[in-house]
């Protein structure tokens, strides 16, 4: 108990011994301390905050030795014992036992060297090479003769090593303690009283070796003394210390050195044998000694990294026990047999692609167990990666970026680190490091096209697919997920969302309702592609929608009015020749293109061979000269067709009177429905009213005609009709190049002066002085007065 308290107090005193040397720390500790014992506090001694030890990943790094004798408590900053420390195993007989290690802190990289002095504890006792030895002493030995006894060996050092010897009390010998030049104490038996072989042929002595430790330890040796005849010469070595150099990795049975000793005695007393008198267990596994020749050879692995120097003592002994010893020192020379060892101490993985050049992403340590130039290491990486190694503290390297990273170009890197030493031949080692690049939302979606165009027929149903837009985002996961949407806007005064919709996932654009080509023909919308990153990035594209026409409008007849709406009559002079223009059918179509190309056809007429109609213009002309046998009343049914698929059509009736003057005009009642015998009664009623009206109107016309002849000898024939603008649809003037007649398309029609049989003469088209719409013949007889009431006016214009 007293010993443990004493040791504990000494330990506290040693732990209190702390000094700084160029920023390094030195601690002292006794060997064989319990695991977890506190050596010192690096946080306090280095002036660090205990809380930063964990965040900076403080740890102990050893050099050239895989054993970790110490560790760091990150919560307290204490350096504690992590493995049993046996000074004798670590340092053997070295007077100063020191081990070094390093404290490594990251972010920023910081390295502190710590030296740990291991103090010896008296935990080993003295031991003799043999438990029993035999001495043959001649009875003729003189008083004072000395007989050396091999020194006891104590693995401890200093005061704890062998300090003295004690010889068991006897009547013939006393003990004399000697010290060699190497400081080793050994005992000599001194003959204090001559031997008498006849009185005592053999005797047994007990020699005790004592160390200076507390408590004191000892070892014993039994000496068997046989009294013989005199042997007064001990073997003598040729030299006190033998030194040899041996390359590591030497093969077995390699010769190291030969020790030699001679004995001046003759015969058996001069025969010398050799043996190791003091050698460590490790040395005994590597070397052997030939007892007869003194040759030392290799019997085990010679490794410079395990032990670079061996020391041992060889004893030369003659046939009767006289001996001497010599020291043998074997130095091991290094060979470049260890390749550098690359250790990845720290790595940031994955690395964000937006880190700036020069950012540290890893720490690499390189160790080589060889010595001198074999230990010098160069470390580098291949040149085709955006990373480089920067030498840092001692044998540490920082792995840093050299340029801006782009995950979309290369998502990961396989970096090969090469370490080569300076040995001959040099040795190298490789280490593969994989660095993954983390995605950052740095790419907006990009559309496949700069703009999109699509054509859609009018009147399509809701849900019709117009087109599909597509955008690509090279980013990863949600940063590369594209969502489509329509940007707010107006189309024909209505929100764009009321016309179109876009699928947010696929980019498919569909109609929400049908379109009308006659209201608008095209429009533009803007589609936005947005990714799902944070913050999100987006881009826009223009989608032009062109509406194509569908034949959904029936031709609209402007002149004459469609059947059932009005009753209109044209006069044809009896002298009209073949090819004379008698009237014109005018129609328009609200569609466009070929859907608005109109053609005119006579589908029924009173005299099929008398009149013809131009297929494209709608002009009605005589096919031959008018004859007296032709029916005065001519009824023509005209069909107007467009060029759509399927074709749409409209019909109208044209009523013609073949007559040179209105006096010859019969009752109008039979012209309207001469083909409808079922309505005869209605015709008769109308005829009764018309006869009276027509007679009065005719008298007025005759008077007017005579009056006109006095003023100007020419007659106007109202054989053409002016089309008022009120007949045209509101948007008709906006339709260009559709093939239908425009409102500005008019004819001037005249009869030659003084001739009632002359053909029509066409002069020019015009826009002004258009006759009102009511100056055409209607079914009411009173309307004739409006047309022919004043015969003295200048020649009137009939328009087609």
């Amino acid at each position: 108990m007293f010993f443990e308290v004493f040791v504990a107090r000494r330990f506290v005193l040693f732990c209190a011994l702390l000094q700084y040397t160029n920023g390094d720390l030195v601690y002292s500790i006794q060997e064989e301390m319990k695991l977890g014992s506190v050596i010192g506090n690096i946080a306090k001694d280095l002036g660090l905050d205990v809380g930063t030890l964990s965040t900076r990943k403080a740890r102990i790094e050893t050099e050239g030795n895989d054993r970790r004798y110490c560790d760091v408590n990150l919560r307290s900053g204490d350096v504690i014992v992590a493995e049993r420390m046996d000074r004798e195993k670590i340092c053997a007989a070295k007077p100063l036992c020191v081990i070094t290690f390093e404290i490594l802190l990251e972010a920023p990289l910081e390295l502190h060297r710590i030296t740990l002095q291991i103090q010896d504890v008296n935990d080993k006792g003295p031991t003799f090479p043999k438990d029993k030895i035999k001495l043959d002493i001649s009875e003729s030995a003189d008083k004072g003769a000395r007989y050396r006894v091999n020194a006891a060996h104590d693995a401890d050092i200093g005061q704890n090593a062998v300090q003295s010897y004690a010889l068991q009390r006897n009547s013939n010998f006393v003990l004399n303690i000697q010290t060699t030049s190497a400081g080793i104490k050994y005992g000599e038996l001194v003959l204090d009283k001559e031997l008498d072989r006849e009185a005592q042929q053999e005797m047994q002595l007990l020699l005790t070796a004592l160390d200076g430790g507390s408590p004191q330890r000892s070892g014993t040796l039994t000496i068997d003394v046989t009294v013989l005849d005199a042997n007064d010469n001990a073997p003598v070595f040729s030299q006190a210390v033998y030194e040899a150099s041996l390359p590591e990795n030497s093969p077995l049975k390699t010769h190291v050195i030969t020790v030699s000793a001679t004995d001046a005695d003759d015969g058996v007393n001069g025969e010398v044998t050799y043996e190791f008198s003091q050698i460590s267990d490790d040395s005994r596994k590597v070397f052997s000694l030939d007892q007869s020749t003194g040759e030392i050879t290799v019997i085990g692995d010679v490794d410079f990294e395990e032990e670079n120097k061996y020391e041992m003592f060889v004893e030369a002994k003659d046939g009767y026990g006289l001996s001497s010893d010599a020291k043998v020192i074997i130095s091991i020379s290094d060979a470049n047999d260890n390749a550098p060892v690359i250790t990845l101490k720290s790595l940031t993985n994955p690395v964000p692609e937006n880190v700036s050049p020069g950012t540290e992403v890893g720490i690499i340590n390189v160790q080589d167990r060889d010595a001198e130039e074999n230990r010098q290491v160069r470390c580098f990486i291949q040149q085709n990666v955006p990373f480089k190694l920067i030498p840092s503290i001692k044998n540490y390297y920082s792995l840093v970026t050299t340029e801006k990273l782009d995950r979309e170009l290369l998502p990961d890197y396989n970096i090969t680190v090469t370490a080569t030493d300076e040995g001959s031949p040099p040795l190298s080692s490789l280490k593969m490091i994989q660095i993954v690049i983390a995605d950052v939302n740095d790419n907006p979606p990009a559309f496949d096209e700069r703009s999109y165009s699509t054509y859609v027929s009018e009147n399509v149903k809701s849900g019709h697919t117009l087109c599909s837009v597509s955008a690509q985002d090279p980013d990863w996961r949600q940063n590369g997920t594209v969502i489509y949407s329509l940007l707010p806007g107006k189309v024909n005064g209505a929100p764009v969302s009321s016309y179109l919709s876009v699928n947010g996932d696929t980019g498919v654009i569909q109609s929400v309702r049908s379109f009308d080509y006659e209201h608008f023909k095209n429009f533009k919308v803007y589609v936005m592609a947005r990714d799902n990153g944070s913050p999100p990035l987006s881009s826009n594209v223009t989608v032009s929608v062109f509406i194509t026409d569908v034949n959904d409008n029936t031709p609209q007849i402007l002149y004459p009015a469609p059947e059932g709406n009005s009753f209109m009559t044209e006069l044809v002079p009896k002298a009209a020749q073949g090819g004379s223009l008698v009237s014109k059918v005018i129609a328009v179509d609200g569609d466009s293109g070929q859907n608005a190309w109109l053609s005119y056809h006579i589908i029924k007429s009173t005299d099929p061979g008398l009149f013809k109609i131009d297929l494209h213009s709608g002009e009605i002309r005589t096919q031959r000269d008018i004859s007296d046998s032709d029916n005065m009343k001519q009824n023509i049914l005209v069909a107007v067709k467009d060029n759509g698929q399927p074709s749409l059509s409209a019909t109208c009736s044209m009523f013609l009177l073949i007559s040179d003057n209105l006096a010859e005009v019969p009752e109008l009642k039979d012209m309207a429905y001469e083909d409808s015998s079922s309505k005869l009664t209605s015709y008769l009623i109308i005829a009764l009213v018309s006869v009276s009206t027509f007679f009065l109107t005719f008298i007025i016309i005759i008077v007017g005609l005579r009056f006109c002849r006095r003023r100007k000898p020419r007659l106007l024939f109202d054989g053409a009709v002016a089309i008022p603008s009120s007949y045209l649809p509101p948007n008709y003037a906006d339709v260009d190049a559709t093939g239908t007649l425009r409102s500005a398309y008019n004819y001037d029609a005249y009869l030659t002066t003084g001739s009632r049989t002359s053909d029509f003469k066409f002069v020019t088209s015009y826009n002004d002085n258009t006759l009102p719409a009511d100056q055409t013949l209607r079914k009411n007889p009173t309307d004739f007065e409006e047309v022919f009431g004043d015969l003295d006016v200048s020649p009137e214009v009939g328009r087609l």
Side-chain angles (χ1 to χ4, degrees), residues 572-788:
V572 180
K574 293 180 178 180
Q577 298 178 352
S580 299
L581 177 67
V582 297
S583 186
K584 177 181 176 66
V585 177
I586 301 175
V588 295
D589 194 311
D591 296 318
S592 66
Q594 67 177 10
N595 294 329
W597 296 351
L598 302 181
S599 60
Y600 302 84
H601 309 271
I602 295 177
I603 58 176
K604 187 176 182 182
S605 64
T606 303
D607 189 348
L610 182 58
F611 298 101
K612 67 178 179 179
I613 189 168
D614 188 272
L615 180 65
H616 301 295
S617 66
E619 294 178 344
I620 300 176
R621 296 178 182 271
T622 58
Q623 294 192 80
R624 58 179 175 77
D625 297 340
I626 301 295
S627 65
D628 294 337
S629 61
D630 291 328
N631 194 345
M632 180 181 296
K633 298 178 290 181
Q634 296 289 331
N635 185 9
I636 301 175
L637 183 62
V638 178
V640 182
K641 297 181 180 180
D642 60 26
N643 200 35
Q645 292 295 331
S647 176
L648 301 179
S649 64
T651 61
C652 67
S653 294
M654 179 68 71
F655 300 100
L656 303 176
L657 290 177
I658 301 176
S659 177
D660 289 333
N661 56 68
L662 294 178
E664 300 174 356
V665 176
E667 295 180 356
L668 300 177
K669 63 178 182 176
D670 295 333
M671 298 179 63
Y673 305 102
E674 62 180 4
D675 296 330
S676 303
S677 59
S678 62
K679 298 182 180 180
L680 182 60
T681 303
S682 299
Y683 293 158
L684 293 175
I685 296 173
I686 295 172
L688 291 176
V689 177
S690 299
V691 168
S692 301
T693 305
F694 182 75
F695 179 77
L696 181 61
T697 303
F698 183 75
I699 297 300
I700 296 173
I701 292 174
I702 295 300
V703 175
L705 289 175
R706 292 178 179 177
F707 180 76
C708 288
R709 288 193 185 99
R710 295 193 188 107
R711 297 185 59 185
K712 199 169 187 178
R714 62 182 177 179
L715 176 64
L716 168 67
F717 175 68
D718 189 10
V721 180
I723 307 302
S725 60
S726 60
Y727 277 81
L728 301 177
N731 62 340
Y732 175 63
D734 294 333
V735 180
D736 294 329
T738 61
T740 59
L741 187 65
R742 295 181 54 85
S743 60
Y745 184 65
N746 303 308
Y747 289 97
D748 294 332
Y750 298 91
L751 287 176
T752 56
T753 304
S755 174
R756 307 182 72 185
T757 62
S758 299
D759 294 335
F760 287 100
K761 181 179 181 181
F762 299 101
V763 186
T764 58
S765 63
Y766 62 92
N767 293 318
D768 299 331
N769 303 322
T770 302
L771 292 179
D774 55 355
Q775 292 186 6
T776 58
L777 293 178
R778 303 183 186 278
K779 64 181 180 179
N780 296 325
T782 56
D783 293 336
F784 287 99
E785 296 178 358
E786 300 176 7
V787 179
F788 303 104

Side-chain angles (χ1 to χ4, degrees), residues 373-393:
E373 67 274 5
N374 296 332
R375 186 186 184 90
Q376 302 302 316
V377 178
R378 294 180 296 106
C379 191
F380 56 91
I381 61 177
Q382 69 268 32
Q383 300 300 315
N384 58 344
V385 293
F387 299 91
K388 68 177 180 179
L389 287 177
I390 298 178
S392 186
I393 302 173

Side-chain angles (χ1 to χ4, degrees), residues 152-451:
H153 173 68
D154 193 333
D156 296 323
I157 62 172
Q159 191 65 26
N160 295 328
V162 176
Q163 299 297 321
S164 63
Y165 295 86
L167 182 64
Q168 181 183 8
R169 185 180 295 275
N170 63 87
S171 58
N172 294 100
F173 296 91
V174 294
L175 182 65
N176 184 27
I177 299 175
Q178 298 291 334
T179 303
T180 67
S181 59
I184 298 175
K185 294 182 178 182
Y186 64 93
E188 289 183 341
L189 294 179
V190 180
L191 188 59
D192 188 55
K193 181 183 177 181
E194 293 80 4
L195 297 175
D196 186 1
R197 184 175 180 274
E198 288 71 20
Q200 187 177 6
Q201 185 177 357
E202 294 180 352
M203 64 180 66
Q204 192 175 66
L205 304 176
L206 184 64
L207 179 64
T208 302
L210 302 172
D211 62 19
S214 179
Q216 192 176 50
R217 295 179 181 269
S218 63
T220 59
L221 172 66
T222 301
I223 303 173
D224 292 332
V225 179
T226 300
V227 181
L228 299 175
D229 287 335
N231 181 24
D232 53 355
N233 291 293
V236 178
F237 281 96
S238 60
Q239 58 191 70
V241 178
Y242 291 86
E243 294 185 6
S245 179
L246 180 67
E248 69 170 323
N249 303 324
S250 295
L252 300 180
K253 298 183 180 180
T254 299
H255 171 75
V256 181
I257 195 172
T258 299
V259 297
S260 178
T262 59
D263 194 312
D265 295 325
D266 294 330
V268 176
N269 294 331
E271 294 180 0
V272 179
T273 59
Y274 304 92
E275 61 181 22
F276 289 120
S277 62
Q278 184 173 332
I279 186 172
S280 66
D281 292 338
D282 292 338
S283 299
R284 196 179 295 277
K285 295 177 182 178
V286 179
F287 302 103
S288 69
L289 175 64
D290 189 289
Q291 292 184 350
S292 300
T293 64
E295 181 184 14
I296 299 176
T297 57
V298 176
I299 61 172
D301 295 332
V302 181
D303 191 350
F304 174 86
E305 287 70 42
E306 292 293 333
E307 187 67 51
N308 57 13
K309 180 182 289 187
Y310 293 91
E311 294 183 1
M312 60 199 75
F313 288 89
V314 176
E315 180 185 28
K317 184 178 180 181
D318 62 20
Y320 289 98
L322 295 181
S323 64
S324 61
D325 59 8
K327 186 175 184 180
V328 178
I329 300 175
I330 302 175
S331 299
I332 308 301
S333 60
D334 183 46
N336 191 30
D337 60 343
N338 290 283
V341 178
I342 303 172
T343 305
L344 182 62
K345 295 296 184 181
S346 177
L347 181 64
T348 301
N349 208 4
V351 178
E353 63 176 321
N354 62 346
V355 297
S356 58
T359 301
E360 181 182 86
V361 298
I363 298 174
I364 294 174
N365 177 259
V366 181
Q367 298 283 350
D368 195 312
R369 299 180 64 193
D370 294 321
E372 298 178 354
E373 67 274 5
N374 296 332
R375 186 186 184 90
Q376 302 302 316
V377 178
R378 294 180 296 106
C379 191
F380 56 91
I381 61 177
Q382 69 268 32
Q383 300 300 315
N384 58 344
V385 293
F387 299 91
K388 68 177 180 179
L389 287 177
I390 298 178
S392 186
I393 302 173
K394 203 176 180 181
N395 48 1
Y396 285 88
Y397 295 84
S398 295
L399 180 63
V400 300
T401 59
T402 59
E403 58 188 66
K404 188 173 180 60
L405 305 176
D406 191 345
R407 190 204 67 84
E408 288 70 44
L409 292 179
L410 198 59
D412 56 64
Y413 293 90
N414 290 321
I415 300 174
T416 302
V417 179
T418 304
T420 305
D421 61 27
E422 299 292 338
S424 180
L427 298 179
S428 299
S429 60
L430 305 176
K431 187 174 184 64
M432 184 73 70
I433 301 175
Q434 184 180 39
I435 295 181
V436 178
I437 308 303
D439 185 48
V440 174
N441 191 27
D442 57 348
N443 290 283
F447 283 94
D448 296 343
E449 305 289 341
R450 299 183 62 180
S451 62

